[in-house]
Amino acid sequence: MKYFFTSESVTCGHPDKVSDQISDAILDAYLSQDAFSRVACEVSVCKDFVLVMGEITSKANVDVKAIVRKVISDIGYTEKGIGFDSETVNIDVRLNTQSPDIAMGVDNSMESKIGGDVFDKTGAGDQGIMFGYACTETEELMPLPIMLSHKMCQKLEQVRKDGKLSYLRPDGKGQVTVEYCDGKPCRIDAVVLSSQHDDKVTTEQLRKDLKELVINEVMPKEYLDENTKFYINPTGRFEVGGPCGDSGLTGRKIIVDTYGGKCPHGGGAFSGKDPTKVDRSATYMARYVCKNVVASGLAEQCQVQVSYAIGVAKPLSVNVNTFGTGKLSDDKIADIIVKEFDLRPAAIIEKLKLRAPVYSKTASYGHFGKKEFAWEQTDRVDDLKKYLN
């Protein structure tokens, strides 16, 4: 059976990603001073303007405006006169404290009122459903289309920042369509890459440079053939971009952040949220679970759904789908997961060290498939392999 699957990524200068990076930089700043900060920070950007809003309860003293300007500068929006730069942008900060009703459910879970251990004390910060996924398509145990899209956009950022293509500006998007044969990637059918640029470079030169220095450098040659299609800045010009060309908002690239559409999404965004929000922490844990299941050989694909109720520590349900690749039944693997992994919020935070200020690095090019994060470890493989016997 043959089918096609497409995933996209965006550069760090995309307006939505500008917002995500500011939100997570603010979160990290608070956690650096107070590891128990409660943060729910969202950012909106548009021409010459940044709005920081949300709820933060913390002992930390943070210069939010200075963080905003540093993030924008690090991304590369430093050029005057293009409608958005780190020095002249107007910043409005509207931050309140966390609702006491939410805090009550997090600080004193339903279970803690009737006993339980230390991990029963912290309730989920909200209701919701979270998904994790892993597969054997890449060494990162991620779907191939999203990993290629991320790598292409990262390379685009690299050639801009190291000066190889100095005419590039920070905004950009990439997209890769992979053809699957009998459920396995067999070729790349189409590559789309669009990059913001200055007014001096010709479209012809830009297309030539991006093909040679970006696409050819990251696309595996074994997946390319004479029928692979390339669309480079297909509209021609892309001079007006970033927040000047389109408004941006935290949490609007949740599919880019996860698995490129290969796995369902519960709908909760990540950036700007401290780990008591299960939208973030439980999704990270679900990825950790799935990666260990696949790495152990229990399945070639694994998707896990976990659900929570606000103020309740234990998840309401755990659902597993291995798409017919499991060495055991999906029900049996679900039972194994419940037995081997503690899915209560406090246990997740402890296991994955989520009170550390690690979040800024997640805000561009995906939250998964990066070795430096605790949720990408495969340290439970031996514990799971025993079930194969």
Side-chain angles (χ1 to χ4, degrees):
M1 185 182 79
K2 181 175 76 173
Y3 66 90
F4 299 87
F5 196 88
T6 303
S7 296
E8 72 156 349
S9 183
V10 297
T11 65
C12 67
H14 186 281
D16 293 330
K17 278 292 148 198
V18 173
S19 299
D20 285 341
Q21 288 165 93
I22 293 172
S23 292
D24 273 335
I26 292 170
L27 169 63
D28 279 351
Y30 276 97
L31 292 177
S32 295
Q33 297 182 37
D34 178 4
F36 292 88
S37 296
R38 297 283 171 81
V39 180
C41 177
E42 298 190 44
V43 173
S44 181
V45 298
C46 63
K47 183 177 181 180
D48 288 328
F49 183 72
V50 176
L51 172 63
V52 180
M53 56 189 169
E55 299 79 41
I56 297 179
T57 301
S58 176
K59 298 176 182 178
N61 183 16
V62 171
D63 187 341
V64 171
K65 290 187 177 181
I67 291 171
V68 172
R69 295 194 190 280
K70 185 179 187 306
V71 170
I72 295 170
S73 176
D74 289 346
I75 290 170
Y77 285 114
T78 57
E79 183 181 349
K80 301 290 193 305
I82 64 169
F84 192 82
D85 71 84
S86 58
E87 287 189 19
T88 66
V89 67
N90 297 299
I91 304 169
D92 191 1
V93 179
R94 302 294 179 95
L95 294 171
N96 301 301
T97 57
Q98 185 182 59
S99 160
D101 294 338
I102 296 175
M104 178 175 59
V106 174
D107 295 334
N108 296 286
S109 73
M110 183 184 72
E111 292 93 332
S112 69
K113 297 167 186 174
I114 56 174
D117 61 24
V118 64
F119 291 140
D120 274 328
K121 179 175 173 55
T122 302
D126 201 353
Q127 70 176 46
I129 55 174
M130 296 83 207
F131 288 88
Y133 181 79
C135 64
T136 57
E137 291 181 17
T138 63
E139 63 178 349
E140 298 90 353
L141 301 186
M142 287 284 286
L144 183 62
I146 188 64
M147 289 308 299
L148 291 179
S149 297
H150 284 327
K151 290 177 181 180
M152 181 168 61
C153 288
Q154 283 178 294
K155 188 67 174 180
L156 183 61
E157 179 186 349
Q158 180 185 330
V159 297
R160 172 177 63 86
K161 288 188 170 181
D162 67 17
K164 284 184 179 179
L165 299 179
S166 58
Y167 58 77
L168 295 180
R169 287 175 176 162
D171 197 0
K173 304 178 79 170
Q175 183 173 286
V176 178
T177 300
V178 173
E179 181 179 338
Y180 286 75
C181 302
D182 297 323
K184 306 289 185 182
C186 56
R187 60 181 291 274
I188 295 171
D189 185 66
V191 178
V192 182
L193 182 60
S194 297
S195 178
Q196 186 187 13
H197 55 84
D198 65 24
D199 60 357
K200 299 177 180 63
V201 67
T202 65
T203 301
E204 291 71 25
Q205 184 64 48
L206 179 139
R207 286 173 173 165
K208 177 178 180 295
D209 290 343
L210 295 190
K211 178 68 163 55
E212 292 179 359
L213 299 179
V214 178
I215 294 174
N216 289 351
E217 289 293 315
V218 299
M219 293 299 148
K221 292 179 173 55
E222 64 269 25
Y223 287 119
L224 300 175
D225 59 31
E226 66 276 8
N227 295 316
T228 301
K229 300 175 282 294
F230 300 95
Y231 302 94
I232 303 172
N233 277 40
T235 63
R237 308 302 290 174
F238 185 5
E239 295 176 34
V240 179
C244 188
D246 191 11
S247 62
L249 183 65
T250 299
R252 206 157 57 181
K253 283 290 175 284
I254 57 176
I255 301 304
V256 172
D257 286 342
T258 52
Y259 306 100
K262 204 71 184 288
C263 169
H265 197 294
F270 306 147
S271 291
K273 294 180 179 178
D274 75 80
T276 65
K277 281 74 171 172
V278 284
D279 282 340
R280 184 167 216 164
S281 55
T283 302
Y284 289 176
M285 189 65 176
R287 162 64 177 171
Y288 172 70
V289 169
C290 288
K291 191 169 183 182
N292 277 272
V293 167
V294 170
S296 71
L298 282 174
E300 292 183 17
Q301 288 187 73
C302 183
Q303 174 186 294
V304 168
Q305 183 207 56
V306 187
S307 69
Y308 291 87
I310 188 168
V312 181
K314 292 181 180 178
L316 305 184
S317 65
V318 176
N319 176 270
V320 171
N321 187 349
T322 61
F323 306 93
T325 69
K327 298 293 178 62
L328 304 171
S329 70
D330 290 350
D331 288 346
K332 177 62 176 175
I333 293 175
D335 290 340
I336 292 168
I337 289 170
V338 170
K339 179 180 179 181
E340 293 288 341
F341 297 91
D342 194 335
L343 301 176
R344 294 173 293 175
I348 293 172
I349 292 169
E350 174 69 20
K351 171 60 183 175
L352 302 182
K353 310 301 180 189
L354 295 180
R355 294 202 185 277
V358 299
Y359 297 102
S360 290
K361 292 181 180 179
T362 69
S364 301
Y365 311 115
H367 293 241
F368 308 123
K370 299 175 181 177
K371 293 180 181 179
E372 64 262 38
F373 297 133
W375 50 91
E376 292 296 317
Q377 296 174 3
T378 51
D379 55 344
R380 299 299 310 279
V381 165
D382 289 341
D383 297 321
L384 298 179
K385 279 185 175 179
K386 64 188 179 186
Y387 294 99
L388 291 170
N389 298 323

